[in-house]
Amino acid sequence: QVQLVESGGGLVQAGGSLRLSCAASGLTFGNYAMGWFRQAPGKEREFVAAINWSGRYTYYSDSVKGRFTISRDNAKNTVNLQMNSLKPEDTAVYYCAAGSVASNNYSGAWTYWGQGTQVTVSS
């Protein structure tokens, strides 16, 4: 049974930082691309960042490029999202996902999902 468990969400002021983590189990972690998506109330789930199986290639949405950094540790089966210079518009539930192609920013193409962690950025 595949499990992706996110942690690290919370409430932060604009300009602050948070680090999200996702712990994976039940899959051969090093075989999967890992990604982060987010969903704000009343909006569709959107791509945030992704990393290929080796960690060599990373992808970001334009809205977070330069502020967020995705990384992975294949020895620990974890993927992280370091979020700096947070803005109120970053407020959303953040989801970890596992899939086959890191460059695919369509949520339907990702295979496994976590339950999400809330990130709230106050102005």
Side-chain angles (χ1 to χ4, degrees), residues 38-57:
R38 67 187 182 187
Q39 188 167 18
K43 294 189 176 182
E44 293 187 353
R45 191 169 297 189
E46 66 171 359
F47 171 78
V48 175
I51 188 167
N52 81 317
W53 67 272
S54 69
R56 180 175 181 181
Y57 299 104

Side-chain angles (χ1 to χ4, degrees), residues 37-90:
F37 287 74
R38 67 187 182 187
Q39 188 167 18
K43 294 189 176 182
E44 293 187 353
R45 191 169 297 189
E46 66 171 359
F47 171 78
V48 175
I51 188 167
N52 81 317
W53 67 272
S54 69
R56 180 175 181 181
Y57 299 104
T58 57
Y59 305 86
Y60 298 94
S61 68
D62 288 342
S63 61
V64 308
K65 198 172 296 182
R67 300 188 297 123
F68 290 12
T69 302
I70 189 170
S71 61
R72 68 187 294 160
D73 185 336
N74 286 353
K76 296 181 178 180
N77 287 8
T78 57
V79 59
N80 301 304
L81 185 68
Q82 177 67 42
M83 306 186 295
N84 298 329
S85 303
L86 282 161
K87 306 175 181 179
E89 51 264 43
D90 294 319

Side-chain angles (χ1 to χ4, degrees), residues 7 10 51 56 96 101 107 113:
S7 62
I51 188 167
R56 180 175 181 181
C96 175
V101 181
S107 62
W113 293 87

Side-chain angles (χ1 to χ4, degrees), residues 4-10 18-23 36 78-81 83 94-96 114-119:
L4 303 178
V5 180
E6 303 95 336
S7 62
L18 280 176
R19 183 176 177 87
L20 304 184
S21 292
C22 172
W36 288 94
T78 57
V79 59
N80 301 304
L81 185 68
M83 306 186 295
Y94 282 71
Y95 297 91
C96 175
Q115 293 300 305
T117 186
Q118 177 71 47
V119 171

